[in-house]
Amino acid sequence: QADVMYKKLGAKLAVGMPFKDIATSDSILMRELPPSSDAEGRRALRRLQEVTVHVIVPADVLAKDPLPGAVTLHTLKDAVAAHKAGGVSLPE
């Protein structure tokens, strides 16, 4: 199933592993993540990250179940409020 996702993102496949070319998406926005208990789903995302496809996830989702290397998504309202309060709290 991961290979279908790789193809939809424009990645080429070599021995089942994705690699980027000019047509590959540079980033993907995921409102939800596969849980950390889903090894196959997390492995598919890690492989995309290894070929520099950035995974963007809302900060509250990452706070509940972190994904190493993910980019946090904040609303402008939340970012302004956090700045006024002294900064944004990022997941470990």
Side-chain angles (χ1 to χ4, degrees), residues 6-90:
Y6 299 150
K7 288 179 183 179
K8 285 184 177 184
L9 292 171
K12 304 293 183 192
L13 294 175
V15 194
M17 299 290 290
F19 69 93
K20 274 181 81 169
D21 72 355
I22 192 76
T24 308
S25 297
D26 291 324
S27 59
I28 56 174
L29 173 61
M30 298 190 70
R31 298 280 179 193
E32 296 179 12
L33 285 174
S36 53
S37 61
D38 180 359
E40 185 177 329
R42 289 292 178 117
R43 184 180 323 111
L45 291 177
R46 187 183 72 244
R47 287 181 176 165
L48 285 171
Q49 290 174 313
E50 289 170 352
V51 296
T52 65
V53 173
H54 302 287
V55 180
I56 303 169
V57 185
D60 60 328
V61 173
L62 282 176
K64 293 175 191 169
D65 194 1
L67 174 69
V71 178
T72 59
L73 175 68
H74 298 269
T75 65
L76 181 57
K77 180 180 177 181
D78 291 344
V80 169
H83 176 71
K84 289 179 180 177
V88 175
S89 175
L90 300 175

